[in-house]
Amino acid sequence: MKILYIETSSRNCSVAISDNEKLLCLTEEVSENYKQSESLHTFVEWALEGAGISIKDIEAVSLGKGPGSYTGLRIGASSAKGFCYGLKVPLVAINSLESMAEPFLEQNYDVIVPLIDARRMEVYTAVYDGKTGYELSSTEAKILDENSFEEFKGKKVIFVGDGAKKAKDILRLPDADFNENIYPSAQYLIKKTLEKIDKKEFEDIAYFEPFYLKDFHGVKKKKSED
């Protein structure tokens, strides 16, 4: 089964294609300027070319559904829906935090904590078992302070993601590991996607919305004084 994976929830615009569990091609780029709008469809074309297949060969689309960048999630979701409608194939959606934990499973960590940088001292986070990937604490927007995650003192824990930088500066967990250079990547959607396909856990394409976690607040214009 040929599957197209799209992950645009962060600074990493990432596209992958697999044949069942085998990764055929990965195309991604981390950019400070969030280039999803200009790069995503080019990356899809490159990934298809690298995999040696046509878009018509795609039998399902998987999307990293967030949480993360509001604009990035909108772009990814719109594209994924468009491919699904055009190809008449199902849509699978995976929590982007889950995919961040995936590469660290079975590396002798008791706990894996992905952290996506939000505003100021806020992060989007969840907690996963280091061996099984089982979700120990559900996804939330969390304000970091020196007492955050103190329940993991004495455990082998790793914080991963661009939010790990500010966590490292404030958390009182001297034995914890931190990896700041991890972003959600399409290649780590494969395992969870295949599990959902096997269970036929597909999204309703017409009503699907990304996992924004918080409402989007644009900048309000100041009223001019009379």
Side-chain angles (χ1 to χ4, degrees), residues 147-163:
N147 298 314
S148 298
F149 303 108
E150 63 180 0
E151 65 269 28
F152 300 128
K153 278 184 179 176
K155 292 192 174 184
K156 193 165 174 56
V157 56
I158 184 169
F159 295 91
V160 302
D162 60 0

Side-chain angles (χ1 to χ4, degrees), residues 69-84:
S69 158
Y70 183 92
T71 303
L73 289 172
R74 292 293 295 177
I75 292 167
S78 297
S79 296
K81 285 181 168 186
F83 286 125
C84 288

Side-chain angles (χ1 to χ4, degrees), residues 80-131:
K81 285 181 168 186
F83 286 125
C84 288
Y85 276 124
L87 298 169
K88 295 181 172 56
V89 298
L91 174 65
V92 176
I94 307 296
N95 188 310
S96 297
L97 293 168
E98 280 190 76
S99 68
M100 293 172 69
E102 187 75 26
F104 297 93
L105 293 177
E106 298 183 1
Q107 290 191 17
N108 296 319
Y109 290 109
D110 298 319
V111 179
I112 303 167
V113 186
L115 300 173
I116 294 176
D117 193 4
R119 295 181 179 182
R120 300 182 181 87
M121 293 312 299
E122 190 172 34
V123 292
Y124 301 136
T125 186
V127 179
Y128 299 93
D129 181 271
K131 294 179 177 61

Side-chain angles (χ1 to χ4, degrees), residues 115 117 120-121 123 144-148 159 162-174 176-178 180:
L115 300 173
D117 193 4
R120 300 182 181 87
M121 293 312 299
V123 292
L144 292 177
D145 61 41
E146 59 186 14
N147 298 314
S148 298
F159 295 91
D162 60 0
K165 183 175 182 179
K166 57 189 178 187
K168 186 177 183 179
D169 294 336
I170 195 171
L171 298 183
R172 296 189 296 187
L173 294 170
D177 288 340
F178 296 84
E180 305 163 16

Side-chain angles (χ1 to χ4, degrees), residues 6-27:
I6 295 172
E7 174 53 81
T8 58
S9 66
S10 71
R11 292 183 177 89
N12 187 28
C13 182
S14 182
V15 175
I17 292 172
S18 82
D19 186 353
N20 289 328
E21 70 277 358
K22 182 182 179 183
L23 177 65
L24 297 180
C25 191
L26 172 69
T27 304

Side-chain angles (χ1 to χ4, degrees), residues 47-61:
L48 289 166
E49 185 178 337
I53 64 172
S54 151
I55 189 66
K56 294 178 182 177
D57 296 319
I58 295 298
E59 297 167 82
V61 177

